[in-house]
Amino acid sequence: MWRDRRIYRQSVNRSRLWVKLAKLAFFGVIGFFVFLLLVLPLLAFNLPSPDKIVRNEGFSTKILDRNGDALYDIYSDERRTPVDIKNVPVYLKQATIAIEDKNFYKHGGFDIWGIVRGGLKCFTGHCEGGSTLTQQLIKNVLLNSDRNFLRKIKEFVLAIQIEKKYTKDQILQMYLNEAPYGGTAWGVESAAEAYFGKKVSDLDLIECAIIAGLPQSPSRYSPYSSTPKAYVGRTKDVLRRMREDGYITKDQESSA
């Protein structure tokens, strides 16, 4: 009889638990639809236009000699030299996607699994952010770096709008031209000039891996920062991710 009562109590407790979970799920679904139908449209009224993601000003002014070589590079606080995606090395595009947003060509601007994966990676000692390249582009150009829920919601809405308006290659090009690479270097062309004294189109695998690792924390990973060797470990992480995603072989990783 005692055993029967225990089984009965366990059954009742399980039933109560399922009822609570069902209620939570029900109210969660209701809240989600309220959010979609009411909150998102209200937020959309105060958002900057997705068209503003395309920069038309703020670039460096270059003074060239008769042979086309730069004599002076005039800028204020941010050194920017735009580059077309076709002039960016394949390794740099692959390295950036591998370390920052491996599902870039698959998601619609917001990667739920990327957030989950980034959190889980922290347990292995290789913490990763959950923001997509599209979200990072929005943060760099349209919004700010404030860490709060409202900004993330705005970022989410804008990411969907921008993914619908522009192609993936256009978004990647804008990201590569807008990302911070340490000091006054903004964009991969300026980064290539600042760190290697060459055009971005001339970078090799290891140079591409170094540059791709900088935007996560430019003030830390820049060779000119107070931690001048931190970029070495970061570059190894970039190469590891490139190998894991099939962009390079194990021999290429080891050689680099």
Side-chain angles (χ1 to χ4, degrees), residues 23 45 209 254:
K23 288 182 178 178
F45 281 112
S254 300

Side-chain angles (χ1 to χ4, degrees), residues 10-68:
Q10 290 176 343
S11 177
V12 170
N13 289 335
R14 280 197 298 268
S15 298
R16 289 174 178 172
L17 177 61
W18 280 111
V19 169
K20 290 180 180 179
L21 291 175
K23 288 182 178 178
L24 287 174
F26 173 77
F27 287 113
V29 171
I30 295 298
F32 178 73
F33 279 104
V34 170
F35 175 77
L36 287 180
L37 297 174
L38 297 179
V39 179
L40 285 184
L42 288 175
L43 286 174
F45 281 112
N46 297 319
L47 292 178
S49 170
D51 295 331
K52 293 183 178 180
I53 202 73
V54 180
R55 180 183 294 275
N56 295 313
E57 57 184 16
F59 300 115
S60 302
T61 298
K62 293 183 181 295
I63 299 177
L64 311 178
D65 63 16
R66 67 179 63 186
N67 298 316

Side-chain angles (χ1 to χ4, degrees), residues 122-138:
C122 287
F123 292 102
T124 68
H126 297 288
C127 286
E128 301 171 6
S131 295
T132 64
L133 290 180
T134 311
Q135 290 175 275
Q136 293 179 50
L137 172 64
I138 292 167

Side-chain angles (χ1 to χ4, degrees), residues 186-231:
W186 288 72
V188 290
E189 185 70 34
S190 293
E193 293 171 353
Y195 296 118
F196 303 110
K198 59 174 69 174
K199 292 184 177 297
V200 69
S201 57
D202 296 327
L203 297 181
D204 60 23
L205 170 59
I206 186 65
E207 292 166 341
C208 288
I210 290 172
I211 286 183
L214 296 175
Q216 185 191 65
S217 183
S219 61
R220 178 186 177 192
Y221 293 126
S222 169
Y224 303 135
S225 69
S226 59
T227 52
K229 294 297 182 181
Y231 79 93

